[in-house]
Amino acid sequence: MQDSLWQAVLGEIELTVSRGSFVTWFKNTRLLRHKDNILVIGVQNVFVKQQLERKYNQLIADTLKKNGAEPERIEYKIYSGATLHKKTDDDPIVLESAQSGARTANRPSPTTLTHTYRQGLNERYTFENFVVGSGNELAYAACQAIASNPGTKYNPLFVYGGVGIGKTHLIQAVGNAIASNNPGAHVVYISTEQFVQEFLDAIRYKKNTDFAGYYRSADVLIVDDVQIIAGKEKTQEEFFHTFNALHQANKQIIISSDRPPKDIPTLEERLRSRFAWGMSIDMQTPDFETRCAIVQTKAHAHSIDLPQPVVEFLANLIQTNIRELEGALNQLLAFCEMRELDPDISIAIGLLGSAKNRPKHINPKQIVERTAKYFHIPLDEIVGPKRDKDIVVPRQIAMHILRSELHLSFPKIARELGRKDHTTAIHSVEKIDKEMALDADIRLAISEIRAHLYA
Ligand code: ADP
Ligand code: MG
């Protein structure tokens, strides 16, 4: 009963907000209680709670009203699937009502076996906001050609190059362009990590056919970071069949990797040769001018026009990895935003220039502890096995800070957080990087943790 009210509300909200916002802020919410004129909505973590309270409360109230519910008060409470079953009393961020009320809403727990496949495209990555310059112009041209004529030339397109130089941005831009030119097209973007995971899940839950069917029905299949497939024989085989099916049907395939096929160890020969069928393009680090243009473009996206000396300072400071360059810019912008300052060269040097001379007394353990403390979670949980969202996000943030503050290697970062696989660390740092650009709460959390560290 309650559930159908909330499903109706979500249905309407889904039509009003962007897909990204819906997935991020609304998808995993549920109605926990609706009694005595108070309506309690369960959310998965503090970020969602804040966002709904600050930004979407009115929309939610209006939509509830349209559906016949006019509570005096709407409350947002954090719940998590796992804590529901465990019923602990000591978890500081799970509130009582989540435990008492939630079970009445008769919905499957978030951890049921049903698997949903996602299109995976991030609207943020477009051709329009991709800066073309030395190092990426060839890849850009090929991607543009594919966007206007998918499945004809350059199939597959294999783009390779170092970390943080725009591979994901560019191949997502192709996907976004094709999807918007052809609304009916089934464009699928997937990271190889996710492909591997979904494949394993499909086997485990005996849904192999769904899995194969889904990927083989794509009109455009974009597979990111394919180097991860090295050594994973079963997944390679599945990917091989997917590849053949799509290629035979003249469907476009785009693949990225951090190195050329010949340098991916234990890549099956037959896949290696398939990858070479189309076009392989090497992306290089953008040169100084291009980096300057990227910095300015990113600043403009935040409606800020940076003075040229600041732009050049940043472009000089970080020369190889655009993700790091963007991280430095975001750090500067967040710093200025909090203090209501206009960014200038002395602030930039003060904040970023001294990074190398920072006091050395900060160690990885302090970063992990500080982060756990900031989010009120016990240290053994942030480094432990739990995968609840309200622990995963802080864990990812800790990884991000380990990277940005101490420049630790990914395997080291993974170890500090009790993970075995360094790709988890890569993925986490990337994810937080992206979220920082979109989410003021995450930026704030990071700058506050950092401020505590250096206090
Ligand atoms: P990769 O996949 O090669 O590791 P990404 O595509 O994730 O790198 O790029 C890292 C960040 O740098 C992204 O936020 C992306 O938007 C940005 N970036 C990289 N190259 C460019 C460019 N030429 N123009 C605009 N942004 C760029
Ligand atoms: Mg990438």
Side-chain angles (χ1 to χ4, degrees):
M1 182 59 213
Q2 297 195 341
D3 200 37
S4 64
L5 165 66
W6 190 240
Q7 290 311 319
V9 169
L10 287 182
E12 280 190 39
I13 290 178
E14 188 166 11
L15 301 176
T16 9
V17 301
S18 75
R19 197 183 136 65
S21 305
F22 184 78
V23 172
T24 317
W25 308 119
F26 292 97
K27 194 159 168 269
N28 293 316
T29 58
R30 60 202 279 187
L31 187 55
L32 294 181
R33 195 169 44 180
H34 184 194
K35 230 167 74 186
D36 309 328
N37 263 331
I38 300 172
L39 187 139
V40 183
I41 296 168
V43 300
Q44 284 200 307
N45 60 52
V46 66
F47 305 117
V48 177
K49 179 173 183 314
Q50 288 173 353
Q51 190 74 1
L52 294 184
E53 277 169 351
R54 288 183 200 157
K55 202 166 153 202
Y56 292 108
N57 194 50
Q58 194 57 46
L59 173 67
I60 292 171
D62 292 345
T63 318
L64 278 165
K65 194 170 165 189
K66 275 204 246 164
N67 285 279
E70 256 183 289
E72 263 166 34
R73 206 164 75 222
I74 302 176
E75 290 177 7
Y76 302 90
K77 302 238 155 153
I78 295 161
Y79 82 95
S80 80
T83 30
L84 275 181
H85 301 296
K86 219 178 61 174
K87 289 204 176 202
T88 52
D89 293 317
D90 50 4
D91 194 335
I93 56 174
V94 175
L95 302 166
E96 335 72 60
S97 68
Q99 287 151 11
S100 56
R103 279 177 170 257
T104 59
N106 197 11
R107 259 177 70 174
S109 84
T111 48
T112 47
L113 307 187
T114 47
H115 202 94
T116 49
Y117 295 103
R118 280 162 291 154
Q119 293 232 123
L121 286 174
N122 181 339
E123 294 155 20
R124 193 167 82 89
Y125 295 125
T126 61
F127 283 127
E128 287 71 34
N129 62 17
F130 187 83
V131 177
V132 188
S134 77
N136 63 32
E137 52 201 338
L138 204 59
Y140 177 84
C143 284
Q144 284 259 312
I146 288 173
S148 37
N149 269 315
T152 49
K153 311 190 247 195
Y154 312 144
N155 200 15
L157 176 69
F158 192 100
V159 178
Y160 65 92
V163 179
I165 57 169
K167 300 182 298 294
T168 297
H169 187 138
L170 201 48
I171 62 181
Q172 285 241 358
V174 187
N176 280 317
I178 296 177
S180 72
N181 295 341
N182 318 273
H186 185 202
V187 180
V188 176
Y189 165 91
I190 188 156
S191 68
T192 302
E193 197 179 6
Q194 201 184 334
F195 187 87
V196 172
Q197 192 55 50
E198 289 188 356
F199 176 62
L200 297 178
D201 287 351
I203 295 177
R204 183 167 334 138
Y205 304 130
K206 310 232 171 358
K207 288 180 177 266
N208 312 27
T209 46
D210 291 8
F211 174 85
Y214 179 79
Y215 289 103
R216 287 175 208 179
S217 71
D219 295 309
V220 179
L221 178 65
I222 305 172
V223 180
D224 207 353
D225 288 321
V226 85
Q227 74 278 355
I228 289 174
I229 212 170
K232 305 198 166 72
E233 284 167 30
K234 286 258 157 47
T235 315
Q236 289 195 24
E237 185 172 340
E238 177 62 33
F239 187 64
F240 177 76
H241 293 304
T242 305
F243 184 102
N244 285 345
L246 292 175
H247 197 269
Q248 264 163 25
N250 291 325
K251 306 296 188 183
Q252 180 70 48
I253 302 164
I254 303 172
I255 299 162
S256 88
S257 164
D258 67 357
R259 65 201 91 159
K262 69 174 172 47
D263 295 341
I264 304 178
T266 62
L267 180 66
E268 270 190 61
E269 194 44 46
R270 56 183 184 168
L271 261 184
R272 202 188 304 274
S273 73
R274 289 299 187 278
F275 290 166
W277 274 357
M279 166 113 157
S280 291
I281 298 180
D282 173 10
M283 274 176 86
Q284 305 278 351
T285 309
D287 63 4
F288 177 69
E289 271 76 35
T290 312
R291 293 199 303 279
C292 287
I294 292 174
V295 170
Q296 198 57 279
T297 307
K298 302 275 176 192
H300 286 167
H302 294 271
S303 310
I304 288 169
D305 191 60
L306 283 181
Q308 191 58 21
V310 176
V311 172
E312 292 182 3
F313 170 77
L314 288 168
N316 248 323
L317 182 70
I318 294 164
Q319 308 193 341
T320 52
N321 185 331
I322 305 302
R323 184 174 304 116
E324 281 179 6
L325 180 56
E326 207 176 339
L329 171 69
N330 286 337
Q331 204 180 328
L332 176 66
L333 297 184
F335 182 90
C336 293
E337 185 183 311
M338 280 201 306
R339 290 165 185 76
E340 299 186 350
L341 302 168
D342 286 328
D344 65 26
I345 185 69
S346 58
I347 299 176
I349 293 175
L351 184 70
L352 303 163
S354 57
K356 293 181 197 86
N357 327 325
R358 273 200 180 142
K360 291 275 190 294
H361 59 260
I362 289 182
N363 61 41
K365 191 145 191 286
Q366 286 167 303
I367 292 181
V368 178
E369 282 170 358
R370 254 298 150 203
T371 312
K373 194 160 173 201
Y374 179 86
F375 290 102
H376 307 289
I377 53 183
L379 186 62
D380 58 347
E381 294 206 344
I382 201 170
V383 300
K386 271 203 194 169
R387 302 194 44 83
D388 307 9
K389 223 174 178 178
D390 47 84
I391 295 173
V392 168
V393 174
R395 186 181 293 145
Q396 291 170 330
I397 288 179
M399 292 189 181
H400 188 275
I401 301 178
L402 286 170
R403 181 75 178 167
S404 61
E405 291 303 300
L406 300 182
H407 306 286
L408 292 193
S409 69
F410 288 114
K412 278 209 186 103
I413 293 174
R415 235 174 292 138
E416 290 298 334
L417 273 303
R419 311 287 110 181
K420 289 200 190 79
D421 187 354
H422 76 284
T423 56
T424 313
I426 298 179
H427 176 72
S428 302
V429 171
E430 276 183 16
K431 176 162 170 278
I432 298 299
D433 261 334
K434 285 172 190 155
E435 284 178 1
M436 274 175 83
L438 301 169
D439 188 333
D441 293 329
I442 290 203
R443 282 203 294 276
L444 183 68
I446 292 178
S447 31
E448 292 198 339
I449 294 167
R450 200 181 268 137
H452 279 299
L453 283 168
Y454 291 105

